[in-house]
Amino acid sequence: MPFILICGYPCSGKSRRSDELKRYFESDHNKDVTVVSDHSTGVNRNEVYSDSKQEKLVRGNLKSAVQRNLGKDAITILDSLNYIKGFRYELYCVTKECQTTQVVIFCDTNRDVASEWNMARPDEERYSQDIFDGLVQRFEEPKANNRWDSPLFVVQKDDALPFEAIVDALLRRKAPPPNASTLPQPLSSTNFLYELDKTTQDILGVIMESQKTSVPGDNIGIPGATDKLQFTRSFTLAELQRTRRQFITYMKMHPVDNPGKISNMFVQYLNNTLK
């Protein structure tokens, strides 16, 4: 069943929009709606968002909850910050694997307004100012030209939700077909994890060396891959290693039958997540 991803600054009105969508689909379209959120997992936001390990664990729990619910006869709404584009890409891959439609709703509320709304909350629900500022600074705004952020609906604080357009995108449009990077394949090689680790590490070495002589706009050739890396800016080793770990985690869940595909899939993943 369809998936609605809601993102925005802390206290930007995401939960209000989730409630509006839930009521609308239940009353006007007789659809069951499941809302997955930080609230439903009992998250202490100030603790979680001050600890990267805890935050990563929470994102994993949210993703797992979405995966469980996508197979049911209900619309699933993810009401969370969803501020990392790599995480939104992972969820896009999940919806492709499930062959269901999705939309992204961006609550584009002004930072100062969101801060005022945060300060008006009860103490136990309020973000500390340091955590609030840090999340706003790290927020990676969704862009309609990214396929994992599309269809994208941007709503200001006083806007009415474009319900009919959302219905068209979710219920009257065909789901995108799965592709090689999202189809689960049987694990047929005992050295798959070794090849995955070695191939991705070798590619990072090629990138770090090649970008010394590359300029933005170049395409970097990667051994074993037909696709080329789009060099849009300089990448730090820490950034590349973080993206590599995300890719390895995904591939462990979706191994391929031919290790020769790893290079091309990793380059595609890098092009999609490193902008």
Side-chain angles (χ1 to χ4, degrees), residues 2 46 52 58 62 78 116 127 137 146 165 172 202 214 233:
N46 287 310
S52 60
V58 167
L62 291 173
L78 178 56
E116 290 176 12
Y127 292 89
Q137 185 176 10
N146 294 334
R172 299 169 188 154
D202 288 348
S214 299
R233 58 179 175 81

Side-chain angles (χ1 to χ4, degrees), residues 13 39 62 66 69 104 124 129 132 137 182 184 230 245 267 273:
H39 309 288
L62 291 173
V66 168
N69 284 286
V104 175
E124 65 274 12
Q129 195 60 49
F132 179 91
Q137 185 176 10
T182 60
Q230 299 163 9
R245 288 193 296 270
V267 172
T273 55

Side-chain angles (χ1 to χ4, degrees), residues 139-157:
F139 187 83
E140 296 176 319
E141 186 174 318
K143 300 183 184 300
N145 60 343
N146 294 334
R147 62 184 183 279
W148 61 90
D149 288 332
S150 179
L152 175 65
F153 298 94
V154 180
V155 290
Q156 309 290 330
K157 69 182 182 69

Side-chain angles (χ1 to χ4, degrees), residues 4-218:
I4 301 174
L5 183 148
I6 299 181
C7 65
Y9 290 161
C11 306
S12 57
K14 299 183 297 299
S15 294
R16 174 169 68 94
R17 299 303 189 178
S18 294
D19 291 341
E20 290 175 1
L21 287 161
K22 187 175 190 297
R23 291 196 301 269
Y24 172 77
F25 278 105
E26 288 177 341
S27 62
D28 288 41
H29 292 272
N30 197 30
K31 297 288 185 182
D32 292 329
V33 178
T34 299
V35 178
V36 176
S37 71
D38 293 345
H39 309 288
S40 63
T41 54
V43 166
N44 182 316
R45 296 159 176 169
N46 287 310
E47 287 184 5
V48 165
Y49 292 114
S50 63
D51 184 327
S52 60
K53 291 183 179 178
Q54 284 196 56
E55 184 181 345
K56 184 176 181 180
L57 180 61
V58 167
R59 284 200 302 272
N61 291 338
L62 291 173
K63 180 180 174 181
S64 296
V66 168
Q67 287 176 302
R68 288 194 301 271
N69 284 286
L70 282 180
K72 298 179 180 178
D73 189 23
I75 293 173
T76 301
I77 300 174
L78 178 56
D79 169 19
S80 188
L81 295 172
N82 298 317
Y83 70 97
I84 300 173
K85 61 187 175 185
F87 183 55
R88 297 197 299 268
Y89 176 75
E90 289 180 30
L91 292 166
Y92 165 78
C93 290
V94 169
T95 60
K96 288 201 73 174
E97 180 183 327
C98 294
Q99 298 185 52
T100 190
T101 53
Q102 76 154 40
V103 300
V104 175
I105 297 176
F106 173 34
C107 297
D108 188 17
T109 301
N110 179 275
R111 172 181 181 154
D112 292 337
V113 172
S115 181
E116 290 176 12
W117 288 353
N118 179 52
M119 296 307 295
R121 285 184 167 186
D123 290 346
E124 65 274 12
E125 297 180 13
R126 186 184 305 160
Y127 292 89
S128 71
Q129 195 60 49
D130 286 346
I131 296 297
F132 179 91
D133 291 341
L135 289 169
V136 169
Q137 185 176 10
R138 298 200 300 272
F139 187 83
E140 296 176 319
E141 186 174 318
K143 300 183 184 300
N145 60 343
N146 294 334
R147 62 184 183 279
W148 61 90
D149 288 332
S150 179
L152 175 65
F153 298 94
V154 180
V155 290
Q156 309 290 330
K157 69 182 182 69
D158 296 322
D159 290 347
L161 282 170
F163 289 115
E164 275 304 309
I166 293 172
V167 168
D168 283 341
L170 286 178
L171 303 182
R172 299 169 188 154
R173 181 171 62 94
K174 279 189 174 183
N179 56 28
S181 64
T182 60
L183 276 175
Q185 300 288 341
L187 183 60
S188 59
S189 175
T190 56
N191 69 341
F192 172 75
L193 294 180
Y194 169 78
E195 292 293 339
L196 177 63
D197 182 77
K198 182 178 185 302
T199 300
T200 53
Q201 190 61 52
D202 288 348
I203 289 176
L204 293 200
V206 170
I207 295 171
M208 291 301 296
E209 187 64 29
S210 297
Q211 69 178 355
K212 294 178 182 178
T213 56
S214 299
V215 297
D218 286 352

